[in-house]
Amino acid sequence: MPDKNTYPVQLVQPDGRRVHDRVHAPLVADIDGERLRAMYTDMVVARRIDTEATALQRQGQLGLWPPLLGQEAAQIGSAHALHPDDYVFCSYREAGVAYVRGVPPEQMTTLWRGVAHSCWDADAVKMTNPAIVVGAQGLHATGYAYAAHLEGAEIATIAYFGDGATSQGDIAEALGFAAAWGAPVVFFCQNNHWAISAPVRVQSATPIARRAIGYGMPSVQVDGNDALAVLAVTRQALAHARSGGGPSFIEAITYRMGPHTTADDPTRYRTAAELELWQRRDPLDRMKLLLEREGLWDSAFERSVAERANDVAGRLRTATMTMPDPEPMELFDHVYATPHPLIEEERREYAAYLEGVRP
């Protein structure tokens, strides 16, 4: 007999109505009006960070920026499920997750402006910096999770990546190792339908979540534009990992409404009709409609959200515009955690070179 049809987990419909899901709704039963408002605020701020950074790049103030427009629910919903000691291994698009983890807006663009090797102190917020090597973070998350397991730490890690990264060998190796050794890692795929110009249908002939079954780990598809549903399934996966159940896989079905990066022109490979379809499923609109239906929306709250978003955007813009250029010798700082003879040799050689060329 064929498998019973399954559908992505959904707790809030696009019109803001609740879905009565006996399995997943109890996982977010503690999310009261205050928490719903907080999640919506974070989603609005994440979008404002994104639009401000995109504008800065267009104005020549950043070398590059990877927009997250349309993926706010996937990022904020999952980030709200994390415990403070859990460790996040991101790709390059998770500015929303970074904001929830406590990264100050002043630190979000240093790498993209080209004035530092990274944006923030990873250990301070338990989240790695943007990773340009597609899929490598899956291996890092698995290794960290396995080491934590050996040390008896009751934490989990989460690895964020896109649908295109599932075609990378690094992700396949991470899935295999995590499954074989029971590493407490959650693989979180933001299926935004496009790996630059390649549609998801050329990444996999089967739903991406089903790939995990071949590795022997549980998987789930979730409506990635439904922040509550994302929160529920991520909580479930993290609890599974922390309790010794091993890895699991989440496919959050969402959509990248902007370009892959600011160096990309999506109008060359996708239609306006497709974009319009997903704009009608905007995750911010859905959460706002839920708040309205449940009597949690008023003009005072709307003003407070706008003020918060504008404040964060202003801090990000001011910090970006005033970032000092690094001194040339800072190139060798933070390459290794401890002194390294090769780096010290190169430091001396470069210092001598600078001494020779400076007036």
Side-chain angles (χ1 to χ4, degrees):
M1 295 291 291
D3 292 339
K4 180 181 178 181
N5 288 336
T6 57
Y7 301 92
V9 175
Q10 185 182 78
L11 296 180
V12 181
Q13 298 180 49
D15 63 1
R17 288 182 297 172
R18 296 264 190 171
V19 176
H20 299 289
D21 183 322
R22 295 180 180 178
V23 175
H24 298 95
L27 296 170
V28 291
D30 63 313
I31 304 300
D32 57 13
E34 183 179 354
R35 287 290 300 277
L36 285 175
R37 281 182 159 193
M39 290 178 67
Y40 176 78
T41 302
D42 286 348
M43 290 168 66
V44 172
V45 172
R47 179 165 294 187
R48 191 72 174 83
I49 288 171
D50 184 57
T51 55
E52 194 67 30
T54 299
L56 283 165
Q57 194 282 329
R58 299 307 191 199
Q59 294 161 7
Q61 300 300 325
L62 298 178
L64 189 73
W65 179 256
L68 61 88
L69 182 65
Q71 298 180 220
E72 294 88 356
Q75 293 195 17
I76 302 306
S78 58
H80 271 253
L82 294 163
H83 289 182
D85 288 340
D86 293 334
Y87 216 108
V88 177
F89 291 80
C90 66
S91 64
Y92 40 75
R93 203 182 301 280
E94 283 74 41
V97 178
Y99 174 72
V100 175
R101 294 300 280 177
V103 174
E106 292 85 353
Q107 297 178 7
M108 288 190 176
T109 58
T110 54
L111 172 68
W112 306 108
R113 190 166 169 85
V115 300
H117 292 304
S118 59
C119 291
W120 55 79
D121 181 349
D123 282 340
V125 294
K126 299 293 188 292
M127 177 174 177
T128 61
N129 273 267
I132 304 301
V133 180
V134 177
Q137 68 274 19
L139 292 170
H140 305 155
T142 301
Y144 190 99
Y146 185 58
H149 169 69
L150 292 178
E151 292 181 353
E154 295 182 359
I155 69 162
T157 68
I158 185 169
Y160 288 92
F161 50 91
D163 46 290
T166 62
S167 295
Q168 292 287 341
D170 284 0
I171 294 296
E173 292 170 6
L175 290 168
F177 186 98
W181 294 95
V185 56
V186 175
F187 295 96
F188 193 96
C189 175
Q190 294 180 85
N191 178 358
N192 63 22
H193 286 76
W194 290 95
I196 309 184
S197 59
V200 67
R201 65 177 178 272
V202 304
Q203 305 298 332
S204 179
T206 189
I208 291 175
R210 290 192 178 185
R211 289 187 174 187
I213 298 173
Y215 292 91
M217 70 176 68
S219 65
V220 63
Q221 281 187 318
V222 63
D223 183 338
N225 285 6
D226 177 354
L228 266 187
V230 173
L231 174 61
V233 300
T234 309
R235 277 181 164 182
Q236 187 177 47
L238 290 167
H240 177 80
R242 295 191 202 100
S243 64
S248 54
F249 191 104
I250 297 171
E251 179 189 358
I253 302 174
T254 182
Y255 192 77
R256 167 171 59 78
M257 292 198 286
H260 176 71
T261 71
T262 48
D264 170 44
D265 178 8
T267 64
R268 299 184 63 182
Y269 54 79
R270 71 183 185 195
T271 66
E274 177 181 306
L275 178 59
E276 182 182 355
L277 172 67
W278 282 93
Q279 286 174 333
R280 293 199 296 268
R281 303 174 183 175
D282 190 307
L284 269 65
D285 292 344
R286 187 181 309 197
M287 182 62 86
K288 179 182 177 181
L289 289 169
L290 173 65
L291 293 174
E292 289 176 340
R293 282 182 176 275
E294 303 196 353
L296 297 168
W297 186 271
D298 55 46
S299 58
F301 172 65
E302 186 176 16
R303 284 195 302 273
S304 70
V305 173
E307 290 170 1
R308 176 62 179 165
N310 288 335
D311 174 67
V312 170
R315 290 166 57 191
L316 183 143
R317 172 169 284 274
T318 299
T320 300
M321 300 287 287
T322 57
M323 285 177 184
D325 291 334
E327 290 296 322
M329 291 305 296
E330 292 179 16
L331 175 69
F332 302 95
D333 295 344
H334 310 299
V335 177
Y336 287 93
T338 56
H340 192 286
L342 176 60
I343 292 297
E344 294 308 313
E345 179 183 352
E346 292 177 346
R347 188 193 299 271
R348 290 191 296 271
E349 290 177 354
Y350 191 56
Y353 165 76
L354 290 177
E355 187 66 27
V357 298
R358 283 174 172 168

